[in-house]
Amino acid sequence: MPGVVLVGAQWGDEGKGKATDLLGSRVDYVVKFNGGNNAGHTVVIDDEKYALHLLPSGILSPGVVPVIANGVVVDIEVLFEELDALIARGVDVSRLLVSGSAHIIAPYHRTIDKVTERFLGKRRIGTTGRGIGPAYADKINRVGIRMWDLFDEKILRAKIEGSLDQKNHLLVKVYNRRAITVDETLDELLQYADRLRPMVTDTAVELNKALDTGKNVLFEAGQATMLDIDHGTYPFVTSSSATAGGAVTGSGVGPTRIDSVIGVIKAYTTRVGEGPFPTELFDDKGEFLRKTGGEYGVTTGRARRTGWYDAVIARYATRINGLTDIVLTKLDILTGMEKVPVCVAYDVDGVRYDEMPTDQTAFHHAKPIYEELDGWWEDISKARAFEDLPPKAQAYVRALEEMSGTRISAIGVGPKRDEIIPIHDLIHAR
Ligand code: GDP
Ligand code: IMO
Ligand code: MG
């Protein structure tokens, strides 16, 4: 012990990569348990910027064992591209472990992701186009391909045949695309088998052993609570379990092994892709947040939608994930405002909601009820203790803490590793 879970509390891009990196020197394992290369985590170390997608952010910490667990969907081509790029920059990636039970994103999953979105037209999700949804659909549909299958060509061929059988009908007859052959898919996947073999193992055994022997294991979520397949703004979500429960099913450790759950939350809100977003701004304030916060997607380069902090979402994330600690990021971006509105509740067709409506119709109708907090003008990027913050910034943080119902244990005041205000230790017993 301890097992620590780290999740995004909003719609992603809260700064999970930076938060993981912060804990890097104190953990032995960093486990990615959901999603795939739809994620985009930026980590800044000594002015060097790293963008990670499929790999857990812990890969940058010397001595950490990075693990891609069973809940992840793996695009093998991307895996090696990312590994090679890190190797070229002198990062030691030799400890990486990949679960044999993780599912593979095959080339046809990417194709189907893109054509489905085009077909959906104005009902599209705005996916990253990486094949995530179709790969998870195959997993649930029991026609997926797992890492283990790469090492048995006969089984691999049979599974590709089974999977392509239906898909080619769909691709050719519905989407008007060319059929994909079993051989091209087989060749594409088999070319990586030898290089993958030494990394692939039963990672659940490894992680349980690590916890048994007192190692610190950090489970790092991709995406976030509001993009979770069960608890997010369905259908405008990703296809995996991005909440704390996903850490358990996605890695093969029991819930009793988890000691703390850290929610990473931005001091304002952003969203990429389609779907409802009650506090979204369409004015110069929204543009200010986008420009100052550098709110452009790490994976697709899309401009992120921006809006004020939403305390209803923070309370929801606290409840769904059982948060024990919050890391509040990007407080520095709010510097220089007269007033900072915070959404404290919603008005849904004349009815006040203090808690998240999970009914899609109600959430689409939700209008934010704002409380205006005082802003501050002082540069806070050099603050390293809570008391270093100007009183009005302190009051903003305290107000957010009270509204969310979880203690704020660290505050981000800049993208760099040391631009953080530690308040409570993030690694602790339950
Ligand atoms: P992730 O997907 O949750 O890992 O987050 P992203 O990396 O997609 O987006 C977060 C962005 O904010 C990155 O560019 C980080 O370098 C940056 N960042 C993280 N924490 C802070 C902070 O406290 N202040 C500022 N200014 N930037 C931050
Ligand atoms: P990180 O880990 C923000 C969004 C997409 C789209 C929806 C479904 O960096 O926080 P998908 O390709 O997953 O089927 O797309 O989810 N999305 C993200 N938004 N940050 C992410 O990851 C995201 N991963 C997926 O924009 O709306
Ligand atoms: Mg991101």
Side-chain angles (χ1 to χ4, degrees), residues 12-14 16 38-42 298-299 304:
D13 308 322
E14 295 90 351
K16 299 178 290 294
N38 47 347
H41 307 302
T42 314
V298 183
T299 299
R304 294 173 182 154

Side-chain angles (χ1 to χ4, degrees), residues 58-70:
I59 199 146
L60 298 172
S61 306
V64 163
V65 180
V67 178
I68 293 180
N70 57 278

Side-chain angles (χ1 to χ4, degrees), residues 11-13 16 38-41 126-128 223 227 237-238 272 302:
W11 275 288
D13 308 322
K16 299 178 290 294
N38 47 347
H41 307 302
T127 72
T128 58
Q223 293 74 54
L227 287 172
V237 293
T238 190
V272 196
R302 288 179 288 178

Side-chain angles (χ1 to χ4, degrees), residues 112-377:
I112 292 170
D113 194 357
K114 286 177 191 143
V115 289
T116 313
E117 281 282 277
R118 216 168 300 142
F119 236 68
L120 279 170
K122 66 176 179 13
R123 287 181 295 118
R124 71 185 178 277
I125 311 295
T127 72
T128 58
R130 303 296 194 263
I132 305 294
Y136 278 114
D138 275 6
K139 172 178 175 175
I140 299 296
N141 217 8
R142 294 164 296 189
V143 292
I145 298 167
R146 304 195 303 169
M147 282 293 167
W148 291 131
D149 302 329
L150 285 180
F151 312 121
D152 183 334
E153 192 175 331
K154 215 167 126 211
I155 284 184
L156 182 62
R157 177 179 283 279
K159 290 198 173 174
I160 295 173
E161 273 169 3
S163 183
L164 275 178
D165 226 16
Q166 284 179 339
K167 286 186 186 68
N168 274 333
H169 284 292
L170 190 74
L171 281 172
V172 174
K173 294 180 185 152
V174 180
Y175 295 133
N176 207 17
R177 305 281 293 225
R178 77 168 179 88
I180 294 169
T181 69
V182 173
D183 282 330
E184 69 183 284
T185 310
L186 196 70
D187 290 348
E188 163 91 30
L189 295 180
L190 277 179
Q191 64 176 311
Y192 304 110
D194 287 345
R195 194 173 168 196
L196 264 171
R197 192 68 194 92
M199 305 173 197
V200 176
T201 185
D202 182 342
T203 50
V205 169
E206 177 85 15
L207 293 172
N208 278 284
K209 260 194 212 151
L211 289 163
D212 287 344
T213 52
K215 298 277 197 303
N216 289 337
V217 180
L218 177 64
F219 300 88
E220 179 200 14
Q223 293 74 54
T225 305
M226 301 303 282
L227 287 172
D228 181 273
I229 186 74
D230 284 277
H231 303 290
T233 47
Y234 192 89
F236 300 100
V237 293
T238 190
S239 298
S240 70
S241 297
T243 43
V248 173
T249 51
S251 71
V253 307
T256 49
R257 318 294 316 247
I258 306 300
D259 297 280
S260 60
V261 183
I262 302 167
V264 186
I265 194 158
K266 250 184 247 198
Y268 52 96
T269 312
T270 62
R271 173 164 206 171
V272 196
E274 306 301 319
F277 177 178
T279 63
E280 183 167 14
L281 292 166
F282 300 95
D283 57 9
D284 53 339
K285 295 260 173 49
E287 195 50 35
F288 172 84
L289 293 175
R290 183 159 36 249
K291 283 267 153 62
T292 319
E295 298 297 353
Y296 299 89
V298 183
T299 299
T300 58
R302 288 179 288 178
R304 294 173 182 154
R305 300 156 65 191
T306 52
W308 298 124
Y309 185 86
D310 187 333
V312 183
I313 288 178
R315 279 197 289 280
Y316 181 67
T318 291
R319 172 152 45 89
I320 293 295
N321 296 293
L323 297 185
T324 55
D325 300 84
I326 283 178
V327 173
L328 181 71
T329 60
K330 298 193 133 177
L331 186 65
D332 53 304
I333 303 304
L334 295 181
T335 298
M337 295 192 189
E338 186 68 39
K339 290 281 177 190
V340 191
V342 169
C343 170
V344 295
Y346 300 136
D347 178 313
V348 180
D349 303 324
V351 179
R352 183 184 166 108
Y353 278 64
D354 288 296
E355 298 300 334
M356 173 72 61
T358 51
D359 161 1
Q360 193 184 346
T361 308
F363 194 63
H364 275 259
H365 290 193
K367 298 266 176 301
I369 299 173
Y370 286 118
E371 196 171 294
E372 297 229 313
L373 304 180
D374 287 336
W376 59 92
W377 296 87

